[in-house]
């Protein structure tokens, strides 16, 4: 089985849906009264939107960050979201915790598949 990953031209859909969904997550998931979790979602949304807008890709507005670096930032953001899920103010709120776990898994998966998709065709990963 070959994993082809996410093509650069399709990654934009993940980026520009992730940021607004993370920003709206406290309201959508019902933890808007949890100020630390709400503010942390805002930071994650703002950072994801910022480095998306600064990526060297068709969708980037200010083309500063190479696409592969962007994918690594997605992975790092996913890892940080999983760490954030363990913070006391987030861990104690089931809805917030589960949202941050979902954010973390999303970042890890999308970032990893984007790195794989950025590789040359002959370098597919076989499982």
């Amino acid at each position: 089985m070959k994993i082809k990953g996410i093509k650069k031209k399709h990654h934009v859909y993940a980026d520009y849906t992730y940021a607004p969904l993370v920003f709206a997550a406290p309201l959508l998931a019902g933890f808007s009264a949890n100020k630390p979790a709400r503010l942390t979602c805002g930071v994650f949304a703002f950072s994801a939107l910022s480095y998306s807008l600064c990526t060297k890709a068709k969708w980037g507005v200010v083309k500063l960050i190479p696409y592969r670096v962007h994918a690594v930032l997605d992975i790092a953001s996913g890892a940080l979201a999983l760490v954030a899920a363990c913070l006391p103010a987030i861990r104690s709120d089931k809805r917030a915790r589960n949202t941050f776990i979902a954010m973390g898994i999303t970042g890890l998966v999308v970032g990893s598949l984007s790195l794989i998709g950025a590789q040359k065709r002959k370098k597919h990963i076989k499982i």
Side-chain angles (χ1 to χ4, degrees), residues 22-124:
V22 168
F23 186 77
L27 183 63
L28 296 172
F31 61 92
S32 57
N34 183 334
K35 187 175 179 179
R38 186 179 71 239
L39 292 175
T40 306
C41 278
V43 169
F44 272 89
F46 177 77
S47 66
L49 181 61
S50 296
Y51 68 78
S52 293
L53 291 170
C54 294
T55 299
K56 290 181 182 176
K58 289 183 179 183
W59 69 87
V61 177
V62 180
K63 298 173 185 342
L64 298 172
I65 302 169
Y67 178 68
R68 289 180 193 215
V69 172
H70 174 106
V72 171
L73 288 172
D74 284 342
I75 294 169
S77 177
L80 283 173
L82 291 174
V83 169
C86 298
L87 296 173
I90 295 172
R91 181 183 66 224
S92 63
D93 185 330
K94 184 178 178 180
R95 292 176 179 178
R97 182 196 67 223
N98 291 345
T99 299
F100 277 85
I101 291 170
M103 289 164 49
I105 292 169
T106 300
L108 293 174
V109 170
V110 169
S112 298
L113 289 175
S114 296
L115 276 179
I116 292 167
Q119 302 297 319
K120 303 247 188 242
R121 288 186 157 229
K122 63 182 178 180
K123 293 184 181 180
H124 291 296

